[in-house]
Amino acid sequence: MKETDPQVIPVNLPGTGVPSLDAMLRGLRAGDNVVWQVESLEDYAPLVPPFVARARAEGKRVVYFRFARHEPLLDAASGAEIHAISPALGFESFTDAIHRVIEEAGPGAYHVFDCLSDLAADWYSDLMLGNFFMVTCPYLYELDTVTYFALLAGRHAAEAVDVVRSTTQVLVDVFRRRRTVYFHPLKVEGRHSPTMYLPHVREGEALRPLTESAELSEALVEVADRRLAAAEQADVWDRRVDAAREVRDGVRAGRRKPEEEREAFEMLLRMLLTRDDRFAEMAGHHLTLDDLLAIRRRMVGTGLVGGKAAGMLVARAILSNGDPAWSRMLEPHDSWFIGSDVFYTYLVRNGCWPARREQRRPDDFLEGAAEARRRVQAGSFPDSVLRRLGALLDYYGQSPIIVRSSSLLEDGFGNAFTGKYESVFCPNQGSPAERLADFVAALRTVYASAMSDEALRYRERRGLLDRDEQMAVLVQRVSGAVHGDLYFPQVAGVGLSYNPYVWNAAIDPQAGVMRLVFGLGTRAVDRADDDYTRLVALNAPSLRPESTLDEKTEYAQHRVDVLDLHARTITSVPFAEAAAAAPGLPLRLFATRRPDGGWVLTFDELLWGTPLVERMRDLLNRLREAYRYPVDIEFTGNFLADGELRLNLVQCRPLQVREGGAIVAPPERLPEERVLLRSRGPLVGPSAHTPIDRVVYVDPDAYVALATQDRHEVARVIGRVMRLEPEVDRKVMLLGPGRWGTTTVALGVPVSFAEIQRVSVLGEIMRLGDVVPDVSLGSHFFNDLVEEEMLYVAIYPAHGGHLLDEPRLRAAPNRLAELLPDDARMAGVVKIVDFTDDSGGVLWLNCDCVRQEAVAYLQPR
């Protein structure tokens, strides 16, 4: 834009509608964002109507954004389009809604915003107000709009005000002294006059610049104190925390009423922990104001701590409040929290916001995601955040820590986001500078995972793209001990209050189950393709599918995940190596001696000779009762020098699996020639009696003969097959060798979950050449299956009670070449068999997950 002659105001420039203001500012310009910093709304409200009237007289489109609690600035008679948008939507959804209106209004429109200060009140954060302005102001500027904003002076932290000042084109301080109104331009981009940056006093309809020093000093003496005090103003978030602390102290001293403490608690609960009504109700029964204030002391930044952190904190409170003995049996959580506001600030300050906004659009939500992740990985944190992160690391010293995602929607009722976001182990070794660099890199990785294809597809599939999904971070000390150069806990695992893995009639599903490993719990949470874990039914812990020592050895855990402190990385080592590094550990609790002198990780003595099983049953029962819903936990356990078992509850969330129910029995005395498959489990998911329209079958014998590249291509073909059909109407059973979703093609088909998300029934044929892989139970991939209410069936063709009529599937008409001509060369491996014509009859699947019995059979029409 060209400079304007300071003595002449061109008549074609946009204007305020008030000639004296136009003269003071040398007119407005296309692209101007004008911020009026006022002491009260009564000094902003009168400025809006003349601005709108001038714009309408020039034929301009005027948009009014209505979101604040104050009286409306405009009504329908003004000619402005009124868009009411609630800040309660959350920062991301609110901002996107505003930007959509701006985009639709197009270039050259005029905009009026309610007072921005109400946004800070609704979001409990001056920082987020600044972020909103930082992403909205440049967007308006690019469209050559002219826009009015207001900000209450002296109400906001200096950092937020500085962001507004540095981003806007025009900033005018409006103040009063003895009922006289003054206008003091603090920033007017691209224009100048000898008196522009002096206070102007309103005298009737005119504005006179104050040029005499005595007059200036007298006018500014009071406003100077206000401006100096504003420079020291804390964020509204911290002010509310301080106010809550004062209420607590006042109640204890008898100066305040007890109900005031409850009000302060409810406010902090929504600020710090959760805005989900169901979770907030439960948390309100188990947490106190002291608990919430303690969270703040261990927090970096402002905002919410996220679902994972909230679940862990509330679960611990449920246990400790229910039985004080749990306070002694639990290892203190010792966690820190990086508030969700830090995430949005990071995105805004590192130029990632446009890509983040694009990810809300269902049609092209993946477009630009890779570039956004690159920007996130290359971004930087403000010095104020880095200083606080340094203090966090000083607290942990050189103890290994884990940096865990804790997004707003994560681990909630209905949306687990299991395995969708990253968690990063930090061995936390080296100099303070090295440890900080590693920690920041871990934070970037967690932030970038919020934009991963898998996470975005999950959000799209569950209708969450338009929901606020801020990424808070939970930082936890890794439970365990140093053993030479290695660091690991003695035992770790996953616990479910409802056991969907009923492989024996003696197992009570309601008693729960746990999945145990030696070392870091990653092998119990993230499926390890090269190993097995111990599955324990909590009502019958001695039961296991294997019977002989040879079978127990074959299906035992052989490798241990550990932190290598010397190499500063997570790695896996043979159990014997981990055991040799920790000679003081009570190995007999975890392992059984073989005749050849070696050890086998059976966990037998741990299960019958220690209180672990009893405590896990009690823990899961208490949490389930409090949640009024099945729960899914992650834990570690260590035996101290005196032999005492100390558990560490590191995560708790609602279990996203429907409990099995009764169904009609299959026909009695089914002729074997009508049976396509039988299974005695494991079966997981909702019991079902349903027709199957299509079977997609990967032939194990043909698959095992393929080269590695072709095995990956099979996975892609499966993805294309599943995208042939709409999500409803057709029920598809997918059968294939070994583990679906493995990363090791020797153990199964390496599909992603997104490629098979439309499957109704997923079957794993436990035969792949000479290899009999472990089933997918307990993995993140498996949790995706149960969360989508897919039915899972394991088939062991060589075991009693199991059957799969593969000759029938091989001989049936294969529709692959017809439906996907470009993939016809894979027709010998991938079969698409439809059971919808009259000749073959209807294929019925009867699956009783309580009894662990399934049969698929043909029923004549």
Side-chain angles (χ1 to χ4, degrees):
M1 298 182 183
K2 296 180 180 179
E3 287 286 338
T4 306
D5 185 329
Q7 303 303 317
V8 180
I9 306 172
V11 295
N12 63 337
L13 282 180
T16 66
V18 179
S20 56
L21 286 175
D22 288 335
M24 179 184 72
L25 298 173
R26 314 308 294 165
L28 299 180
R29 295 180 171 188
D32 273 352
N33 291 278
V34 183
V35 178
W36 303 96
Q37 185 171 264
V38 297
E39 293 177 337
S40 71
L41 192 69
E42 65 179 287
D43 289 328
Y44 177 47
L47 302 175
V48 173
F51 170 69
V52 173
R54 165 79 181 262
R56 294 294 297 156
E58 294 176 356
K60 298 292 185 181
R61 184 176 179 178
V62 179
V63 175
Y64 169 40
F65 291 108
R66 174 74 180 138
F67 53 80
R69 296 179 180 84
H70 59 64
E71 290 297 314
L73 302 171
L74 297 167
D75 57 25
S78 67
E81 303 171 17
I82 301 174
H83 292 267
I85 302 175
S86 172
L89 292 171
F91 174 85
E92 188 171 348
S93 298
F94 176 83
T95 303
D96 182 66
I98 294 283
H99 284 211
R100 285 177 184 269
V101 174
I102 293 170
E103 184 177 30
E104 191 278 328
Y110 281 47
H111 300 275
V112 174
F113 282 73
D114 273 346
C115 183
L116 294 177
S117 294
D118 266 28
L119 295 181
D122 279 300
W123 294 335
Y124 310 106
S125 174
D126 292 330
L127 184 64
M128 297 306 288
L129 182 158
N131 288 337
F132 171 77
F133 195 82
M134 196 171 183
V135 297
T136 303
C137 175
Y139 191 46
L140 292 161
Y141 179 84
E142 291 169 4
L143 292 173
D144 283 338
T145 69
V146 182
T147 306
Y148 265 25
F149 299 94
L151 194 67
L152 292 178
R155 303 286 185 89
H156 305 289
E159 183 178 358
V161 176
D162 289 346
V163 166
V164 171
R165 180 167 183 160
S166 63
T167 310
T168 193
Q169 286 72 49
V170 179
L171 174 63
V172 181
D173 193 25
V174 183
F175 62 95
R176 290 174 180 260
R177 184 171 183 272
R178 297 171 187 165
R179 298 192 176 183
T180 300
V181 179
Y182 296 83
F183 292 84
H184 187 183
L186 302 178
K187 180 181 181 181
V188 185
E189 197 170 81
R191 282 142 286 183
H192 180 69
S193 75
T195 60
M196 178 176 288
Y197 292 104
L198 293 173
H200 291 62
V201 62
R202 186 169 67 188
E203 295 176 340
E205 296 299 318
L207 288 176
R208 176 176 64 84
L210 304 182
T211 57
E212 293 288 342
S213 60
E215 194 176 25
L216 281 165
S217 299
E218 185 176 340
L220 292 175
V221 64
E222 294 176 6
V223 74
D225 289 339
R226 186 253 292 167
R227 289 176 180 173
L228 290 172
E232 301 174 356
Q233 181 75 277
D235 191 287
V236 63
W237 200 91
D238 285 309
R239 296 203 305 273
R240 293 196 177 198
V241 172
D242 290 341
R245 189 178 292 109
E246 290 175 6
V247 167
R248 180 202 62 184
D249 294 344
V251 169
R252 292 178 181 176
R255 301 189 306 271
R256 311 289 289 264
K257 298 178 180 178
E259 52 265 31
E260 292 183 72
E261 183 168 351
R262 189 64 195 178
E263 291 173 3
F265 171 84
E266 295 289 347
M267 177 188 68
L268 282 197
L269 187 68
R270 297 283 176 170
M271 283 175 52
L272 272 164
L273 204 72
T274 184
R275 290 171 195 163
D276 177 83
D277 291 338
R278 184 173 178 181
F279 193 86
E281 179 186 6
M282 181 177 67
H285 291 302
H286 300 283
L287 297 179
T288 66
L289 185 55
D290 280 343
D291 294 327
L292 299 181
L293 291 172
I295 294 171
R296 175 52 187 157
R297 289 195 293 272
R298 288 172 172 257
M299 210 168 166
V300 176
T302 61
L304 293 158
V305 298
K308 190 172 291 180
M312 179 269 295
L313 291 165
V314 172
R316 286 173 163 274
I318 290 168
L319 295 172
S320 298
N321 295 341
D323 183 352
W326 272 107
S327 297
R328 299 187 301 273
M329 293 186 289
L330 284 177
E331 183 178 325
H333 71 81
D334 206 20
S335 305
W336 280 61
F337 315 93
I338 300 176
S340 56
D341 291 352
V342 178
F343 171 65
Y344 273 150
T345 304
Y346 185 88
L347 296 186
V348 170
R349 307 296 166 88
N350 288 287
C352 305
W353 185 256
R356 179 69 171 178
R357 185 175 173 237
E358 290 300 315
Q359 291 163 6
R360 301 173 65 87
R361 304 181 187 277
D363 294 338
D364 54 1
F365 63 94
L366 291 179
E367 188 173 334
E371 172 61 19
R373 292 193 295 272
R374 187 197 66 77
R375 282 180 172 268
V376 170
Q377 289 283 17
S380 59
F381 286 92
D383 289 343
S384 58
V385 172
L386 290 176
R387 285 193 295 271
R388 188 69 174 148
L389 295 179
L392 179 158
L393 290 178
D394 287 344
Y395 172 82
Y396 285 117
Q398 284 186 283
S399 290
I401 55 178
I402 182 170
V403 181
R404 309 186 73 189
S405 67
S406 184
S407 77
L408 266 58
L409 298 178
E410 195 170 0
D411 286 4
F413 288 96
N415 302 299
F417 283 85
T418 307
K420 300 300 178 290
Y421 300 137
E422 292 284 354
S423 292
V424 182
F425 281 100
C426 289
N428 201 23
Q429 303 298 297
S431 68
E434 290 173 320
R435 290 189 287 118
L436 180 59
D438 290 345
F439 184 67
V440 168
L443 281 178
R444 293 192 187 108
T445 298
V446 173
Y447 282 175
S449 71
M451 302 184 183
S452 70
D453 287 0
E454 189 176 10
L456 292 172
R457 288 186 188 278
Y458 179 92
R459 292 179 63 191
E460 187 270 340
R461 189 168 69 251
R462 302 187 71 81
L464 301 172
L465 284 177
D466 61 350
R467 291 277 300 277
D468 258 28
E469 178 60 339
Q470 302 179 47
M471 181 60 75
V473 174
L474 170 63
V475 183
Q476 295 176 304
R477 190 190 304 272
V478 178
S479 178
V482 176
H483 305 287
D485 285 337
L486 304 183
Y487 187 100
F488 56 87
Q490 295 167 27
V491 67
V494 173
L496 310 180
S497 68
Y498 175 80
N499 184 359
Y501 321 132
V502 182
W503 68 86
N504 186 294
I507 294 174
D508 176 10
Q510 302 296 333
V513 63
M514 64 179 171
R515 185 173 168 88
L516 282 177
V517 295
F518 186 81
L520 295 174
T522 43
R523 291 193 165 240
V525 177
D526 301 307
R527 181 180 55 194
D529 283 334
D530 61 346
D531 219 343
Y532 300 88
T533 60
R534 176 70 195 271
L535 204 62
V536 182
L538 291 177
N539 77 303
S542 61
L543 282 178
R544 56 185 301 164
E546 308 83 23
S547 56
T548 68
L549 183 58
D550 285 342
E551 287 181 337
K552 292 178 182 179
T553 300
E554 182 179 356
Y555 296 108
Q557 177 189 354
H558 297 96
R559 299 187 65 82
V560 179
D561 286 352
V562 299
L563 293 177
D564 186 325
L565 301 182
H566 178 72
R568 303 183 190 178
T569 188
I570 182 173
T571 188
S572 64
V573 299
F575 170 63
E577 183 178 330
L585 290 186
L587 290 183
R588 71 184 190 285
L589 295 179
F590 315 109
T592 301
R593 279 283 190 186
R594 287 180 54 83
D596 61 9
W599 291 95
V600 181
L601 275 169
T602 61
F603 301 101
D604 287 346
E605 188 169 335
L606 176 71
L607 299 176
W608 62 259
T610 77
L612 176 63
V613 170
E614 179 185 353
R615 289 184 185 178
M616 289 300 298
R617 279 202 302 259
D618 183 55
L619 181 152
L620 289 169
N621 285 337
R622 290 179 185 275
L623 294 179
R624 177 174 181 158
E625 288 176 5
Y627 270 74
R628 289 177 288 179
Y629 202 87
V631 295
D632 171 0
I633 68 161
E634 293 178 25
F635 67 94
T636 63
N638 293 282
F639 288 89
L640 305 184
D642 60 2
E644 180 185 357
L645 171 62
R646 191 67 58 85
L647 293 175
N648 189 14
L649 179 63
V650 297
Q651 184 171 339
C652 179
R653 61 186 169 207
L655 174 60
Q656 308 299 330
V657 59
R658 194 170 71 194
E659 300 177 19
I663 60 167
V664 297
E668 294 183 5
R669 295 183 292 277
L670 267 172
E672 283 301 301
E673 64 268 17
R674 287 170 51 191
V675 175
L676 179 67
L677 72 80
R678 290 186 187 274
S679 173
R680 293 293 177 87
L683 309 174
V684 182
S687 296
H689 181 73
T690 182
I692 299 296
D693 301 306
R694 170 173 291 173
V695 173
V696 179
Y697 164 68
V698 178
D699 188 324
D701 294 338
Y703 181 79
V704 79
L706 294 176
T708 297
Q709 182 175 347
D710 285 338
R711 293 188 186 190
H712 283 284
E713 182 58 24
V714 167
R716 306 295 81 77
V717 172
I718 293 297
R720 290 190 283 271
V721 169
M722 297 314 304
R723 287 193 292 272
L724 286 171
E725 303 297 335
E727 294 189 29
V728 294
D729 299 332
R730 188 182 292 273
K731 288 193 178 293
V732 178
M733 177 190 292
L734 179 59
L735 300 174
R739 297 177 173 183
W740 288 108
T742 178
T743 57
T744 305
V745 294
L747 296 179
V749 184
V751 294
S752 69
F753 183 75
E755 289 175 307
I756 61 170
Q757 68 187 55
R758 296 179 181 179
V759 169
S760 301
V761 183
L762 188 73
E764 293 188 336
I765 306 167
M766 293 304 153
R767 180 175 63 83
L768 192 57
D770 296 328
V771 177
V772 180
D774 188 19
V775 295
S776 294
L777 304 185
S779 68
H780 278 159
F781 187 89
F782 166 77
N783 283 342
D784 278 327
L785 305 182
V786 296
E787 190 173 37
E788 292 297 325
E789 295 195 339
M790 289 184 191
L791 182 59
Y792 170 86
V793 181
I795 306 146
Y796 290 85
H799 289 195
H802 290 255
L803 177 148
L804 180 62
D805 191 348
E806 295 184 85
R808 183 196 298 269
L809 291 172
R810 292 181 181 124
N814 184 1
R815 299 193 64 197
L816 178 66
E818 171 193 348
L819 297 173
L820 293 172
D822 292 343
D823 294 320
R825 77 180 186 89
M826 288 294 179
V829 184
V830 180
K831 314 284 185 179
I832 302 178
V833 181
D834 283 347
F835 291 86
T836 54
D837 58 19
D838 292 332
S839 59
V842 178
L843 180 65
W844 282 88
L845 175 70
N846 185 284
C847 185
D848 189 328
C849 291
V850 175
R851 294 171 58 86
Q852 291 286 284
E853 295 179 353
V855 59
Y857 60 94
L858 285 164
Q859 181 74 30
R861 291 181 183 275

